[in-house]
Amino acid sequence: MLIRVRKTSDVPPSEITPRAIYLDRRRFLSASALTLAGAAAAAVVGVRPARAQGKGEKLQGVVKGPFTTDEAPTSYQDVTSYNNFYEFGTDKEDPAKHAGPMRTRPWSVTVAGHCEKPGTYAFEDFIKPFQLQERVYRLRCVEAWSMVVPWVGVPMADVLKRYHPTSKARYVAFTTLLDPAQMPGQKRPVLDWPYREGLRIDEAMNPLSLFAVGLYGEVLPNQNGAPIRIVVPWKYGFKSIKSIVKIEFTEDPPPTSWNMQGPGEYGFYANVNPSVDHPRWSQKKERRIGDGFFAAKRPTLPFNGYGEEVASLYAGMDLSKFY
Ligand SMILES: Nc1nc2c(c(=O)[nH]1)N[C@H]1C(S)=C(S)[C@@H](COP(=O)(O)O)O[C@H]1N2
Ligand SMILES: [Mo]
């Protein structure tokens, strides 16, 4: 059942669940009361419990999903310290440095527009009915670098269908949290905040598209878009909007942040395309993060190597015009 929640601001402080108890309740987290007690005790004596990867909470019951690349994943360290999240600053190190205090609980996602079940849903309920999958995807930034990320998420199509989009739903618009107090980068007019992105409905429903809630088997670090972001691996990274609070089914193409910022440089489609250069640099090659400084750049593949899955979505379209 879908549970409607009150606005965050309506929840009295006494009802805001302490993080430890909250974690304990979530079925997909391994953090049992005992583990947490142990962790707390360890913290008191200054001993850190051993973790395979980072310091996040491990996600429980994750199965291997389809479309996983066999390329070596980029290190956890690089995936979580070399980021673009302009709400926390424009340098690659800024998100890891400044996103930590962002409150990701409680969190809700508003579903609006052309669908039969609009409403505001607690993040937990938004994601709960679905099996978590691990999918290792390439991520190609428009700045000509790339990574390989073991995401944990759920197929976007499964989630969206639950809200019964109507025949008028031709696009899906996504919006990031707007909160300059928590996101200091929003105090500067780098982009027209909040960050906005959009997909055509068939792109959103493509089996590659994900809502991601974790990486490396753990809850998403804040700098990677906690608690929920999208992942569309055949498009430039900027389409994969982080920390989303709203999803709207629209009839017309929604305005998107980078397209508004520079329409000649960033299109609505933003499909990875080595034969269409950015006006200021080539898109033919990419630097794989973690390769040595002197390593050769790698050739960029059309649709970031996912052409078999998505090229048919653009049949008959001139991709140098619809960039
Ligand atoms: N809200 C928001 N989402 C965002 C961005 C951003 O600045 N703000 N940057 C985008 C860009 S340019 C990229 S390359 C990816 C980077 O994701 P990662 O830091 O998890 O690797 O996030 C995208 N999503
Ligand atoms: Mo990017």
Side-chain angles (χ1 to χ4, degrees), residues 4 47-48 108 110 128 184 240 243 258 264 267 270 272 276 304 313:
R4 268 153 228 268
V47 183
R48 281 174 147 219
S108 56
T110 296
K128 205 180 342 200
S240 291
S243 305
W258 281 104
V272 174
V276 176
N304 200 23
L313 294 173

Side-chain angles (χ1 to χ4, degrees), residues 194-209:
Y195 197 103
R196 275 160 281 181
E197 259 311 331
L199 297 171
R200 227 168 52 191
I201 189 91
D202 58 340
E203 298 179 316
M205 295 293 186
N206 184 273
L208 279 174
S209 300

Side-chain angles (χ1 to χ4, degrees), residues 70-122:
D70 54 14
E71 285 179 69
T74 304
S75 73
Y76 180 91
Q77 175 63 26
D78 282 344
V79 169
T80 59
S81 63
Y82 188 92
N83 302 101
N84 274 336
F85 200 168
Y86 277 18
E87 286 84 341
F88 296 100
T90 53
D91 290 343
K92 296 288 178 281
E93 319 81 63
D94 281 338
K97 266 194 234 159
H98 305 302
M102 172 173 65
R103 285 185 310 273
T104 58
R105 309 286 188 277
W107 190 274
S108 56
V109 179
T110 296
V111 180
H114 297 292
C115 68
E116 286 165 20
K117 294 186 185 298
T120 294
Y121 302 94

Side-chain angles (χ1 to χ4, degrees), residues 78-80 82-89 92 95 139-143 145 147 149 151 175-177 183 186 191 193-197 215 220-221 223-225 229-230 236-244 258:
D78 282 344
V79 169
T80 59
Y82 188 92
N83 302 101
N84 274 336
F85 200 168
Y86 277 18
E87 286 84 341
F88 296 100
K92 296 288 178 281
L139 181 144
R140 173 48 160 89
C141 179
V142 75
E143 297 162 334
W145 51 263
M147 290 186 180
V149 184
W151 299 112
T175 312
T176 295
L177 177 69
M183 296 178 144
Q186 290 178 337
L191 291 169
W193 309 110
Y195 197 103
R196 275 160 281 181
E197 259 311 331
L215 54 80
L220 268 187
Q223 61 267 37
N224 294 92
R229 54 95 56 85
I230 78 168
Y236 291 118
F238 68 83
K239 297 295 287 184
S240 291
I241 179 174
K242 296 175 170 181
S243 305
I244 56 172
W258 281 104

